[in-house]
Amino acid sequence: MSRAQKSSGLTLRARHILPMCFGPIDSGWIRIQQGRIVAMGRRSPPGSVLDLGDAIVLPGLVNAHTHLEFSDQAQPLSGDGGLPEWIQRVMRVRRARADLLAEDSESARQHTAARIAEAVGRGLQESAAAGVTAIGEIVTAFVPDALSSIGPRVRAYRESIGLSSAAVDASHSQLVCDLDRLAARGIAAGISPHAPYSVAASLGNKLLHTARLRRLPVAMHLAESPHEDALLARGAGPFRTLLENLGVWQSDSPPQLLSAADWITKLSRAARGLVVHGTFLAESGDGEAIARLSYHRDRLAVAICPRTTQLLSGVLPPLARFRNAGIRVAIGTDSRASSPDLSVLAECRVLVDAGLASPEEVLRMATQHAAWAVAMEHRSGSLAIGRPADLAIVRPTTFPKDPYESAIDLSTAVVATLRSGRVIAGELPGASVLSQISAKGDLLPHMRR
Ligand SMILES: [Zn+2]
């Protein structure tokens, strides 16, 4: 690329620019050069411009919590019976894949890995098409190459599960191995103790020690079900039945499990931590858990997944309680095993339609807060000069006074998603103009997978 080409760039003009780190710019423009935002302003920009008409430019959305390995699910699994029953259905899906592994042949292993990789690739594409440019992903048995593709940025939290001492050691060894693999591929990593009912205290200690040593963020499902406390406090309830059925609960030597409040203290020892769901946190330990979360809010955020919580618990996330406790709340979709799609905007609409939040608040949760939650706030979540040009360009059909309302309206379409100035899904309106600019500039017209 010549010096002249390097100095060229692209200026987009739109009805509204929503930087999120400050107020809307009506009739605004944003200039991108070498993948970064170099200027923003109102009305007439200097030089040539690509006019997006009535479109709205906002930061690329951040999906704070998902499991892309289930992106090949045509529809969510049934939520009947709540989380303990749903987990068994998920395990049946996993077992169908693992049956191949039982053959213990390299070809069976490769087949399973390829299937998961295909689902993850599909999930990344679906996410990009929905305006998502960064994802907090939970990784289990395989680390697909797709995670380091040119699609959305990924924070890959390696999940660990283990109750018996043998499982604890094996789980931690595998974690260390996979963290090295993630680092070798240049994928931003994290560590995820799965949940209080599946991770023994001793494994928790190892995981948090490793997170501190490697300076990695952590994420953990916590207080997702009203039945968790019964197991943690008294070793009883549907989770005990589940663990007994799985053969991992020994009555004569039950595993040492930690309360939600104790887990919050542990998670706060990492540089950044994400509590996933937290639906029943306020009821846990007579309010001790949510009080501790509030105390550690400079390090810990919550990710809520409204449609999943509705499916598995029949309620919506207690957003007001988190808000009143001063806790940052991010939005995630969870997986296609509990959600019909990977649309962050659809999750936003559920909260607005229920009167739980304003359009501006949900968009902040889906951008700034979610980027902070997955420790990507310096690259994602807001439009600011010097930041990578990670954008979602949406085209509304209705124009209420509030541009945030316009951006999340059901009829609003995502027309293009850009990561570092590259189009990773959709296409920019006026593509012929764009291709001329691309021939001279550094913005590519399409994602190249
Ligand atoms: Zn999850």
Side-chain angles (χ1 to χ4, degrees):
M1 190 183 284
S2 71
R3 180 175 294 181
Q5 284 171 331
K6 273 190 173 177
S7 65
S8 65
L10 176 72
T11 304
L12 302 172
R13 184 165 55 200
R15 186 183 181 103
H16 303 288
I17 311 271
L18 304 179
M20 301 315 295
C21 47
F22 50 88
I25 308 174
D26 300 333
S27 191
W29 55 268
I30 182 165
R31 183 158 178 75
I32 301 165
Q33 207 163 15
Q34 291 188 298
R36 292 191 176 269
I37 298 166
V38 294
M40 284 187 283
R42 197 184 299 274
R43 298 201 180 89
S44 300
S48 61
V49 63
L50 180 61
D51 195 340
L52 301 174
D54 282 333
I56 298 175
V57 177
L58 59 149
L61 300 164
V62 181
N63 185 349
H65 178 71
T66 186
H67 309 245
L68 293 178
E69 68 170 284
F70 297 113
S71 301
D72 55 355
Q73 281 290 126
Q75 57 196 30
L77 303 172
S78 164
D80 289 352
L83 184 62
E85 295 285 329
W86 180 86
I87 287 173
Q88 296 187 60
R89 292 182 194 110
V90 169
M91 293 192 76
R92 279 197 282 278
V93 171
R94 279 231 173 90
R95 213 170 294 132
R97 290 169 175 165
D99 278 347
L100 289 166
L101 285 177
E103 293 174 22
D104 202 26
S105 73
E106 187 52 31
S107 63
R109 203 180 141 74
Q110 281 177 5
H111 180 85
T112 307
R115 229 175 115 178
I116 292 176
E118 203 257 319
V120 169
R122 203 189 282 193
L124 288 169
Q125 280 182 328
E126 183 185 343
S127 298
V132 169
T133 58
I135 294 174
E137 157 73 345
I138 303 291
V139 173
T140 54
F142 295 94
V143 179
D145 288 333
L147 292 181
S148 53
S149 77
I150 197 174
R153 301 175 195 278
V154 174
R155 166 78 63 196
Y157 296 93
R158 179 56 166 96
E159 185 174 85
S160 289
I161 288 179
L163 292 175
S164 70
S165 57
V168 166
D169 290 343
S171 190
H172 188 253
S173 304
Q174 189 59 51
L175 169 81
V176 170
C177 179
D178 283 348
L179 289 178
D180 291 341
R181 290 171 66 201
L182 287 165
R185 292 180 202 190
I187 301 168
I191 294 177
S192 177
H194 171 251
Y197 51 84
S198 59
V199 180
S202 57
L203 178 55
N205 289 337
K206 283 174 182 259
L207 298 179
L208 267 303
H209 178 74
T210 304
R212 278 178 68 107
L213 213 61
R214 298 197 180 213
R215 298 184 183 180
L216 293 176
V218 294
M220 182 175 191
H221 300 93
L222 219 52
E224 185 179 0
S225 160
H227 303 302
E228 264 180 46
D229 262 0
L231 180 81
L232 303 178
R234 305 187 303 280
F239 275 104
R240 174 164 170 171
T241 310
L242 170 68
L243 297 175
E244 282 175 340
N245 290 345
L246 295 172
V248 294
W249 183 275
Q250 311 301 335
S251 298
D252 49 346
S253 59
Q256 192 198 342
L257 300 176
L258 298 175
S259 69
D262 287 342
W263 273 113
I264 285 167
T265 301
K266 273 201 191 307
L267 297 177
S268 74
R269 292 181 189 142
R272 187 67 51 83
L274 181 56
V275 168
V276 179
H277 303 301
T279 314
F280 301 96
L281 219 46
E283 292 82 16
S284 178
D286 293 330
E288 177 64 20
I290 199 155
R292 284 197 203 181
L293 184 56
S294 177
Y295 180 78
H296 292 296
R297 61 187 182 274
D298 60 331
R299 287 183 169 220
L300 302 179
V302 171
I304 58 172
C305 309
R307 292 181 296 178
T308 291
T309 302
Q310 206 160 35
L311 178 82
L312 297 179
S313 300
V315 296
L316 283 172
L319 181 56
R321 299 190 99 137
F322 297 135
R323 189 194 290 127
N324 294 341
I327 298 159
R328 277 189 188 83
V329 181
I331 291 189
T333 60
D334 223 321
S335 77
R336 267 178 161 265
S338 59
S339 187
D341 55 50
L342 299 173
S343 169
V344 173
L345 287 176
E347 302 287 350
C348 289
R349 281 193 286 270
V350 170
L351 297 174
V352 172
D353 290 349
L356 295 179
S358 69
E360 181 179 355
E361 185 181 7
V362 290
L363 272 179
R364 180 151 291 107
M365 291 158 63
T367 53
Q368 271 187 307
H369 289 188
W372 190 89
V374 299
M376 285 189 168
E377 71 272 24
H378 300 300
R379 283 174 281 174
S380 304
S382 59
L383 303 180
I385 290 166
R387 292 278 179 88
D390 286 13
L391 318 174
I393 297 168
V394 300
R395 182 168 297 286
T397 58
T398 60
F399 301 96
K401 209 172 170 192
D402 176 6
Y404 299 104
E405 186 181 340
S406 209
I408 68 156
D409 190 84
L410 182 60
S411 65
T412 297
V414 176
V415 293
T417 307
L418 280 66
R419 171 182 169 182
S420 289
R422 291 177 176 223
V423 178
I424 60 167
E427 58 183 36
L428 287 174
S432 58
V433 181
L434 174 69
S435 59
Q436 289 169 23
I437 294 167
S438 298
K440 297 186 294 181
D442 55 0
L443 187 135
L444 299 178
H446 296 289
M447 173 165 64
R448 297 198 168 94
R449 282 186 168 275

